[in-house]
Amino acid sequence: MSFMTRLAAAALLSLSTALPLAAQEGSLTISVGSGPTAEVPDPRAGYNGWMSNQTGVTETLMGIDYELNLYPRLAEGLEQTAPNTWHVTLREGLQFHDGAPVTAQAVVDAIAPISDDTHAGHNARIENLLDLKSISAEGDVTVVFETNTPNAAFPWTLAEPGIAILGAASEDFPINATGPFIFREAIPEQLYRVEANADYRLGTPGLSEVRVIGIPDPGAAALAFEAGEVDMVINYPETDFARIQDTGALGFSAPTARLYFFTVNAASGPMANPLIRRAISAAIDRQGIVDAALSGVGGVPAGTVYPAGMGWAADIDPVYDPALAEQLLAEAGATKAGGIWMLDDAPLEIDIVTYSSRAALPPTAELTQAFLQAIGVAATVRVGEYGASNDAIADGTADMFLQAWVTTPQGDPAAVLEALLKSTGGSNAGGYNNPELDQLLAEGRTTFDKADREAIYDQVQEIIAAEAAMIPVFHVSQTNVARAGLTGYAVHPTETYWITHETALTE
């Protein structure tokens, strides 16, 4: 058992001394792969906003529905009044958890720190998404945003969970937000606990309390569920999903925008050659991986970045063609001797790294290794922490990094591609650099007509496929389980929404 698993187990034990967690009336205990980052995790910093949004503590000006459509949330309306200017009108009667009114100035005070690198709420990733020249209040209910450049993604950006609308913090309300639940405490990496907001504008919540427990090992989370220590597991192991439902558990599975993909080391080593990248991609039997690693319930093979049926996906089918893979290797200058591909007088070897917090990652990496070996390409697999794997790609000690991202967390196609593949992208650990792609991504930001934007992002996806700038493997369906009696819950395609005021758990 890992240190983090022991830590999570200890947290469960310490929290259950008064009453078994799963038996507390009106309480829902959820297991997730990682816990909070601090005793009071500022929703604006890092990815803290995901958990505060998922647990119903914080809300954003705009929201994303279950069909990935944008809708006004705390905002009543949004209007573009000039190429770089947006006016957001707030709903009437909004109030923070401490009872203070939500005013335009309060919204300004909540969002401005995101761009202040001296503030604990600073977030360079979101600062880049907003690209604000100024933000100001116009009366009590109108917020005026001025961007540095025209930004077609701006309305969608306001649905980013980290752009949480917060009031003044206090001892009683350290995260003073607007949602159906009130933040009460956090133990770093272990526990995030919230209680019902009886004054929530849309109605009294159906749960009195929600506890989120961090258990990084998916197997340990499954055991905790069967032992009755947790009521719900987010990302339950796919290979056990059918069996656990036979015990009476509820299963929730639906397609999401999460993509399992390989970041490639495009700056050095064999994967710096686009022909070799394309060969490696063609050698991967994606359907075989879905069938084996996901037990037929978890996803569909991916030919491109976005899932079909959720918007923005170009018509690009996944390719599995071992003969094509070998042809491309030969074109790249590799030669085959004794069943082994050689490059520069040495065996061609691909080093794969990944992490273990998602159950399907290690077997997907191992299956990829087997498919490469089947055509005579040596491959190794290392499973570690996310940060170490990312560093290995960045410093050139690995060739492929298998990871899993939601590709449209705000419903818009821009942010993730810019982070992963733009030459200056903050998550471009593989060092991919294509001026044509950079230009198209810039045009996608400044083009407001939806059809024209779709055409631009189709071109982007075609370049990605032609150069194997990243290697999509499959789009996953999130598989969650809960004990019988949970109502008012459904899997959200962005994975950033869990609990609403309507969620309830009955005996």
Side-chain angles (χ1 to χ4, degrees), residues 50-409:
W50 281 51
M51 188 168 289
S52 64
N53 194 76
Q54 289 162 333
T55 54
V57 172
T58 55
E59 295 176 303
T60 49
L61 291 172
M62 304 295 287
I64 304 294
D65 68 17
Y66 283 77
E67 283 74 45
L68 281 181
N69 298 310
L70 190 67
Y71 71 91
R73 198 175 181 192
L74 293 182
E76 184 177 82
L78 181 149
E79 181 184 7
Q80 185 181 20
T81 58
N84 295 17
T85 306
W86 303 82
H87 283 65
V88 174
T89 304
L90 300 175
R91 294 186 183 277
E92 293 184 3
L94 296 174
Q95 63 179 29
F96 292 110
H97 290 150
D98 66 356
V102 178
T103 64
Q105 186 58 50
V107 171
V108 172
D109 293 342
I111 295 177
I114 291 172
S115 302
D116 180 358
D117 61 10
T118 67
H119 195 280
H122 175 246
N123 190 314
R125 175 181 61 86
I126 300 176
E127 179 183 9
N128 181 62
L129 292 176
L130 286 167
D131 189 31
L132 288 180
K133 181 177 181 181
S134 67
I135 177 174
S136 60
E138 190 175 277
D140 286 338
V141 296
T142 302
V143 184
V144 181
F145 296 88
E146 185 179 1
T147 59
N148 288 306
T149 58
N151 183 357
F154 185 78
W156 301 85
T157 299
L158 295 180
E160 156 65 46
I163 308 178
I165 305 308
L166 305 172
S170 65
E171 185 175 347
D172 289 336
F173 301 97
I175 300 177
N176 188 19
T178 61
F181 290 88
I182 299 169
F183 172 81
R184 286 308 183 205
E185 65 173 320
I187 301 174
E189 302 301 334
Q190 296 181 43
L191 169 72
Y192 192 93
R193 187 174 71 86
V194 305
E195 293 178 353
N197 173 15
D199 297 322
Y200 185 57
R201 66 185 184 279
L202 297 180
T204 302
L207 295 166
S208 61
E209 178 185 63
V210 177
R211 296 176 177 223
V212 179
I213 303 295
I215 305 180
D217 182 346
L223 290 173
F225 179 75
E226 293 212 65
E229 294 170 335
V230 299
D231 303 305
M232 186 176 189
V233 177
I234 302 295
N235 292 311
Y236 193 85
E238 291 89 351
T239 52
D240 196 43
F241 188 61
R243 183 200 66 82
I244 196 66
Q245 292 177 77
D246 290 339
T247 70
L250 299 177
F252 300 89
S253 178
T256 71
R258 184 172 294 277
L259 174 70
Y260 282 57
F261 66 97
F262 287 102
T263 288
V264 299
N265 179 5
S268 63
M271 298 297 280
N273 186 330
L275 289 170
I276 293 180
R277 297 200 298 264
R278 289 174 56 200
I280 298 303
S281 179
I284 299 172
D285 180 358
R286 291 160 173 81
Q287 185 63 57
I289 290 175
V290 166
D291 293 341
L294 304 179
S295 297
V297 300
V300 295
T304 189
V305 180
Y306 310 110
M310 289 191 185
W312 306 110
D315 187 14
I316 300 174
D317 293 326
V319 174
Y320 172 51
D321 189 338
L324 173 62
E326 299 209 53
Q327 175 186 325
L328 290 167
L329 289 173
E331 291 179 22
T335 57
K336 197 170 190 180
I340 301 297
W341 281 99
M342 308 288 290
L343 186 67
D344 298 329
D345 299 321
L348 174 59
E349 183 172 317
I350 303 298
D351 296 313
I352 301 169
V353 292
T354 190
Y355 48 103
S356 60
S357 60
R358 293 184 178 273
L361 284 168
T364 296
E366 290 161 3
L367 287 163
T368 299
Q369 177 188 35
F371 292 131
L372 296 183
Q373 291 173 339
I375 65 166
V377 174
T380 62
V381 172
R382 285 178 283 156
V383 180
E385 299 298 325
Y386 177 92
S389 297
N390 194 67
D391 291 345
I393 283 290
D395 64 23
T397 58
D399 301 305
M400 296 168 61
F401 173 23
L402 178 65
Q403 51 188 317
W405 282 40
V406 174
T407 55
T408 51

Side-chain angles (χ1 to χ4, degrees), residues 9 12 25 31 41 49 56 77 95 145 174 209 261 266 278 331 419 422 428 450 477:
L12 279 169
E25 185 176 355
S31 165
Q95 63 179 29
F145 296 88
E209 178 185 63
F261 66 97
R278 289 174 56 200
E331 291 179 22
K422 190 175 179 181
N428 185 0
K450 189 173 188 298
S477 292

